[in-house]
Amino acid sequence: MTARLITCLALLAPLSLVGVALLASRERGRNPTRLERALGAATALGLAVSFVEVAWLVLGHLTSGGAVQKLGLIRLDGLSVTMAAMVSLLVAVVGRYSATYLDGDQRHGEFLGRLAAAGAAVELLVVSNHLLLFWIAWVATSLCLHRLLLFHPERPRAVVAARKKFIVARIGDLLLAAAFVLIWRRLGTADMSELLSRSGSEELVGVLIACAALLKSAQFPTHGWLLEVMETPTPVSALLHAGILNAGPFLVLRFAPLFVESRAPAAILVVAGGFTAVFASSAMLTQPSVKVALGYSSAAHMGFMLFVCGLGVFPAAALHLVAHSFYKAHAFLSAGSTVEATLAARIRAPERRGSPRRAAVSFLVAGATYVGVAHVLGMSPWENPSLVVVGAVVVMGLAQLFATGLADGGRLVPLPSSTSEARRRLRQRGAPATNWRNRRGTIDSVPLRVAALAAFVALAFFGLEELTRRALAGALPPLVDPPPSILMLGVSVVMVWGLAAWMQMVGLGGSSPRMARLRVHLRHGFYANALFDRIVGSIQANPPFTSHRGTRS
């Protein structure tokens, strides 16, 4: 009886949002007061249901030792409960933000309805325990996102981006459907709890699922649509980057047992995800548009999650997924106030003169900090090679911190009144700077502060990774040693990543024509998006890139 009640509650959360979407068909205009109240009540119900699911899961784990609760169509484990709570909170925040952001818009109610439908699809996806229900929710997230991307159909670039996303999503849907059909034919069941409990390698199924995840997460070379959806309202960008885009890594995490003993799917994730992470993080630094840079940032984070999944460090990928969701939601919803605060404040501009010695010292100190913190905590990352590879990326981040702290003491440059003058000052090597002093007038020791921050980052990595591993013990496989071939692929990707980080820190050949051409190519994303534009235009009877008169719109 209690299990049925929990199942009904878990389904009630997305169904309440569906009710809001249906109500929006009657109240589409401006100032939809009843609809705003209904959306607020539905999101509050979703948060309450998430707390009940957490309590139910903890109680079941304490009483019977079961970390997974199988409730027919619903599966409650550490992963699904965590994702459901995250999505419920995200939809509540984005919905509240939309109430004021679009206040007075002629189609305010219609937008809230589309937003509620997308939230319902994601909430249903993360708790599904049946292949058919999972696939329906998977497709629904894409279709609901398509309607949100076309909220302003009069904007040609928004229409182009939505069509490109539609094509990519349909290919991913077909691949996932083929994977589920193969699972049903080979294992004779559509119950996800039963098939995930079985051991065995399913190479073809894993390949199909990995490819579907890559397409869902805007990985190279199909990342272009993610950079062109910025003409949609800000709440859509927040929901997309912080919620729907994470469906790709979540798909791999949900079917993680299928990747433990499979080589081909893991190789695809390591190569494609790792390359996208390196490429997108490098291209992000060359973008003049903040929104486009955020798009590249999301693609890079998705690639890193899939790369980590390919190495078998699933708890670290789950931790990154949650952290990235909240970070990116905050980045989009507070973008306007952040820009204003930055313009009103003084800009910290460390002078990086391209010293190879400083970069080498930063890498060495970062590696020593990483190993030292692991030793103090009694953890040995060397016992698991995949964790060492993932930790190498953390070392690169720590090296960036040390390089900043060692760069001439981290000078502060007062911001001039004009933006052009600010840019000129920041580009000058010898810009006048003030001493970095605190409120009491004493000089702070920048290297010591950076060292403390780096130690805290390393401590957080090990501590949160261990906490996530224990919390999701029944939902995700334990750490396993990947095959040597997969490990070598991971090491190769990290070496390329390290080279990119070194070039960024040292500024090797920054003024040479070769590096200038490389920056141009990175800024244009190696022209993969332009090629995708041609492909989409060739399959359209009336290409959206040109007007009816034959000129570019």
Side-chain angles (χ1 to χ4, degrees), residues 187-320:
L187 303 181
T189 180
D191 186 273
M192 294 172 56
S193 297
E194 182 178 351
L195 65 92
L196 292 178
S197 62
R198 300 182 182 181
S199 60
S201 175
E202 295 289 342
E203 291 285 338
L204 181 57
V205 172
V207 168
L208 294 174
I209 292 178
C211 293
L214 293 173
L215 293 174
K216 193 76 168 184
S217 301
Q219 298 297 282
F220 185 90
T222 62
H223 64 284
W225 66 267
L226 186 62
L227 313 177
E228 300 175 347
V229 297
M230 301 305 177
E231 294 192 12
T232 58
T234 297
V236 178
S237 298
L239 183 63
L240 166 62
H241 290 260
I244 298 178
L245 202 63
N246 291 319
F250 172 76
L251 174 67
V252 178
L253 291 173
R254 181 78 291 170
F255 292 92
L258 300 180
F259 291 86
V260 173
E261 300 180 3
S262 301
R263 295 191 178 186
I268 292 175
L269 294 178
V270 169
V271 174
F275 176 81
T276 303
V278 177
F279 154 74
S281 59
S282 302
M284 176 188 67
L285 302 177
T286 65
Q287 302 303 314
S289 172
V290 176
K291 289 188 174 181
V292 175
L294 286 174
Y296 272 114
S297 172
S298 295
H301 280 283
M302 296 299 114
F304 179 70
M305 294 180 206
L306 296 174
F307 169 78
V308 174
C309 289
L311 292 176
V313 192
F314 298 106
L319 175 63
H320 193 162

Side-chain angles (χ1 to χ4, degrees), residues 1-295:
M1 184 65 183
T2 306
R4 292 182 179 179
L5 178 60
I6 296 298
T7 303
C8 293
L9 286 176
L11 293 175
L12 184 60
L15 288 178
S16 62
L17 291 175
V18 172
V20 175
L22 295 177
L23 180 61
S25 61
R26 299 182 179 181
E27 195 172 350
R28 297 184 177 182
R30 64 174 63 184
N31 300 324
T33 305
R34 292 189 306 169
L35 189 60
E36 291 178 2
R37 294 176 180 175
L39 180 59
T43 54
L45 176 62
L47 291 174
V49 170
S50 299
F51 286 123
V52 173
E53 291 173 348
V54 171
W56 170 263
L57 187 64
V58 172
L59 181 62
H61 182 71
L62 294 178
T63 57
S64 61
V68 179
Q69 301 294 325
K70 308 170 186 178
L71 306 174
L73 296 177
I74 301 301
R75 174 186 173 92
L76 294 183
D77 55 15
L79 180 63
S80 62
V81 169
T82 301
M83 295 296 104
M86 183 193 74
V87 173
S88 299
L89 180 58
L90 177 63
V91 174
V93 172
V94 173
R96 183 66 184 90
Y97 183 90
S98 303
T100 55
Y101 180 82
L102 292 175
D103 189 23
D105 191 280
Q106 296 290 344
R107 301 164 60 203
H108 189 186
E110 182 179 355
F111 177 82
L112 293 181
R114 296 186 181 187
L115 184 68
V122 180
E123 288 189 0
L124 183 61
L125 176 70
V126 297
V127 298
S128 297
N129 190 46
H130 193 277
L131 293 181
L132 180 59
L133 183 62
F134 188 98
W135 187 82
I136 292 175
W138 175 273
V139 176
T141 59
S142 177
L143 296 180
C144 293
L145 175 62
H146 185 74
R147 298 186 67 219
L148 286 171
L149 297 180
L150 290 178
F151 184 71
H152 294 298
E154 70 279 1
R155 301 179 180 179
R157 294 187 61 183
V159 174
V160 171
R163 288 180 177 177
K164 292 162 68 173
K165 170 65 175 67
F166 188 86
I167 294 174
V168 173
R170 298 293 73 77
I171 298 175
D173 296 343
L174 292 176
L175 292 177
L176 187 60
F180 286 176
V181 170
L182 287 177
I183 291 176
W184 181 76
R185 293 187 62 181
R186 293 183 180 182
L187 303 181
T189 180
D191 186 273
M192 294 172 56
S193 297
E194 182 178 351
L195 65 92
L196 292 178
S197 62
R198 300 182 182 181
S199 60
S201 175
E202 295 289 342
E203 291 285 338
L204 181 57
V205 172
V207 168
L208 294 174
I209 292 178
C211 293
L214 293 173
L215 293 174
K216 193 76 168 184
S217 301
Q219 298 297 282
F220 185 90
T222 62
H223 64 284
W225 66 267
L226 186 62
L227 313 177
E228 300 175 347
V229 297
M230 301 305 177
E231 294 192 12
T232 58
T234 297
V236 178
S237 298
L239 183 63
L240 166 62
H241 290 260
I244 298 178
L245 202 63
N246 291 319
F250 172 76
L251 174 67
V252 178
L253 291 173
R254 181 78 291 170
F255 292 92
L258 300 180
F259 291 86
V260 173
E261 300 180 3
S262 301
R263 295 191 178 186
I268 292 175
L269 294 178
V270 169
V271 174
F275 176 81
T276 303
V278 177
F279 154 74
S281 59
S282 302
M284 176 188 67
L285 302 177
T286 65
Q287 302 303 314
S289 172
V290 176
K291 289 188 174 181
V292 175
L294 286 174

